[in-house]
Amino acid sequence: MPASPPPASSEPSRRRILVLNGPNLNLLGQREPDIYGHATLADIGALLEARASELGLRVECRQSNHEGVLLDWLQQAAGEGFAAVLLNAGAYTHSSIALLDAIRAIALPVIEVHLSDPSQREEFRHLSYVGMAAADTVQGLGAQSYVVALERAAAL
Ligand code: CA2
């Protein structure tokens, strides 16, 4: 009797988490290290991949300076098979009712992430439209905010 074929992959399928970064976060590590730290977005991606592997997850990191692109990625996330989204919307956090609506509209949990603690900064950063719809918020821990947010996503 012929041997049955091996499974397509010996690795059990791992839940995928989408990490979205908004405007100017591509500049991380180059300016304002006193506020945002020295880690680049690539460094944060590497940190997340290492922790995701320990947690049995996979991460995919994206960045855009365009509000509409962030909206498209949020709307497509469930269809692309992601289980949750970590979102640092940058300054759109404080201005985008469109992001608030999108987070409310999609079926996936979205965890708001910030490197700094906006509540301890200028008054105009105290309002978060993203936070009004997000399942959770992690802020003020520098690059570690993303890692803690990933751990929260794993626990969901
Ligand atoms: O603390 C955060 O993660 C923020 O989302 C960062 C945003 C800011 O508008 C939010 O209030 C809080 C700004 C990101 C800009 O990133 C830069 C990185 C390097 C140099 C300049 C800006």
Side-chain angles (χ1 to χ4, degrees), residues 23-38:
N24 297 312
L25 286 158
N26 53 311
L27 301 176
L28 275 184
Q30 298 175 30
R31 300 251 177 90
E32 305 193 62
D34 46 323
I35 301 174
Y36 300 119
H38 291 278

Side-chain angles (χ1 to χ4, degrees), residues 26-105:
N26 53 311
L27 301 176
L28 275 184
Q30 298 175 30
R31 300 251 177 90
E32 305 193 62
D34 46 323
I35 301 174
Y36 300 119
H38 291 278
T40 64
L41 217 46
D43 294 333
I44 291 172
L47 267 180
L48 285 172
E49 275 173 25
R51 188 67 183 119
S53 175
E54 291 168 356
L55 293 167
L57 301 170
R58 276 163 53 200
V59 287
E60 181 170 324
C61 300
R62 302 177 188 169
Q63 187 275 334
S64 177
N65 290 326
H66 304 279
E67 188 177 15
V69 173
L70 296 169
L71 291 168
D72 288 343
W73 285 341
L74 281 168
Q75 290 182 17
Q76 291 158 7
E80 289 183 52
F82 292 101
V85 180
L86 311 188
L87 173 62
N88 185 347
Y92 289 142
T93 301
H94 318 296
S95 65
S96 178
I97 299 169
L99 281 175
L100 163 65
D101 288 343
I103 295 166
R104 284 194 177 150

